[in-house]
């Protein structure tokens, strides 16, 4: 298994819906691998913008397109992959230290993001070269 496979995970939740409609439940530490400290959502983006373009040294995330679709490109400095988020029962789990770009938002896209941490600008790496250097230094330390 490649390292990226250990850093990201596709999640699929049950639909508890009935004749009244659908219901999906995501509980911290149960349906996702962390306690939820923060929720934010992105809407009103379109297919001309790229969001994200950063890595977080501490935060873990689960991304869910609760409405519409988007694509997420994940990258660990050695490998990258693109995932289409296209249904409300699907989540993309990202461990810390994964670089991510979100793009190709459909006009109705609402991208819900659950996070393991409160917002802290100091844990963001927003420069890709700096990210590569950081990942390299992490690898050296782990040796
Ligand atoms: P940004 O990180 O650029 O959003 P995205 O990852 O979707 O591209 O965040 C935009 C602005 O919002 C920036 O000034 C930081 C602020 N922000 C918070 O204050 N709290 C948060 O939880 C997030 C995600 C962003």
């Amino acid at each position: 298994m490649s390292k990226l496979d250990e850093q990201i995970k596709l999640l699929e939740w049950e639909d508890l819906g009935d004749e009244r409609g659908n219901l999906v439940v995501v509980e911290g530490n149960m349906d996702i691998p962390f306690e939820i400290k923060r929720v934010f959502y992105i809407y009103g983006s379109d297919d001309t913008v790229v969001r994200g373009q950063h890595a977080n040294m501490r935060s873990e995330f689960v991304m869910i397109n609760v409405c519409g679709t988007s694509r997420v490109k994940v990258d660990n400095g050695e490998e990258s992959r693109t995932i289409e988020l296209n249904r409300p029962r699907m989540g993309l789990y990202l461990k810390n230290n994964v670089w991510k770009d979100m793009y190709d938002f459909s006009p109705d896209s609402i991208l819900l993001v659950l996070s393991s941490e409160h917002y802290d600008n100091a844990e963001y790496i927003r420069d890709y070269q700096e990210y590569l250097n950081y990942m390299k230094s992490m690898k050296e330390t782990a040796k």
Side-chain angles (χ1 to χ4, degrees):
M1 195 153 65
S2 69
K3 191 150 173 283
L4 192 57
D5 283 323
E6 295 163 17
Q7 294 168 302
I8 69 166
K9 200 170 163 42
L10 287 177
L11 307 171
E12 189 88 28
W13 301 293
E14 216 183 316
D15 179 5
L16 304 180
D18 52 31
E19 63 285 349
R20 297 169 299 166
N22 304 97
L23 174 68
V24 180
V25 179
V26 182
E27 290 202 47
N29 277 337
M30 291 165 68
D31 304 298
I32 63 170
F34 57 78
E35 194 78 62
I36 301 164
K37 282 200 186 156
R38 177 165 55 120
V39 174
F40 57 95
Y41 41 97
I42 294 167
Y43 62 99
S45 295
D46 61 24
D47 60 3
T48 65
V49 298
V50 182
R51 302 198 59 127
Q53 301 192 289
H54 46 56
N56 294 73
M57 291 184 276
R58 287 188 297 112
S59 294
E60 297 170 62
F61 297 100
V62 168
M63 305 180 134
I64 310 159
N65 251 107
V66 290
C67 181
T69 62
S70 70
R71 282 181 220 278
V72 186
K73 184 179 172 199
V74 290
D75 181 343
N76 66 5
E78 292 181 352
E79 251 185 287
S80 69
R81 193 171 309 160
T82 298
I83 291 112
E84 180 173 352
L85 297 176
N86 55 15
R87 49 192 189 279
R89 287 173 49 217
M90 169 194 190
L92 171 63
Y93 166 73
L94 304 183
K95 213 173 164 184
N96 60 321
N97 290 334
V98 176
W99 186 273
K100 58 216 164 292
D101 298 337
M102 295 89 83
Y103 59 101
D104 255 2
F105 297 92
S106 63
D108 59 345
S109 172
I110 303 177
L111 177 59
L112 178 69
V113 184
L114 314 176
S115 175
S116 65
E117 305 295 328
H118 292 295
Y119 181 71
D120 174 13
N121 187 50
E123 64 129 358
Y124 278 69
I125 306 176
R126 297 183 187 275
D127 179 89
Y128 189 66
Q129 190 54 50
E130 194 185 313
Y131 171 68
L132 293 180
N133 296 343
Y134 174 73
M135 293 304 278
K136 210 169 147 196
S137 71
M138 294 284 282
K139 218 171 160 182
E140 293 298 319
T141 315
K143 270 186 192 167

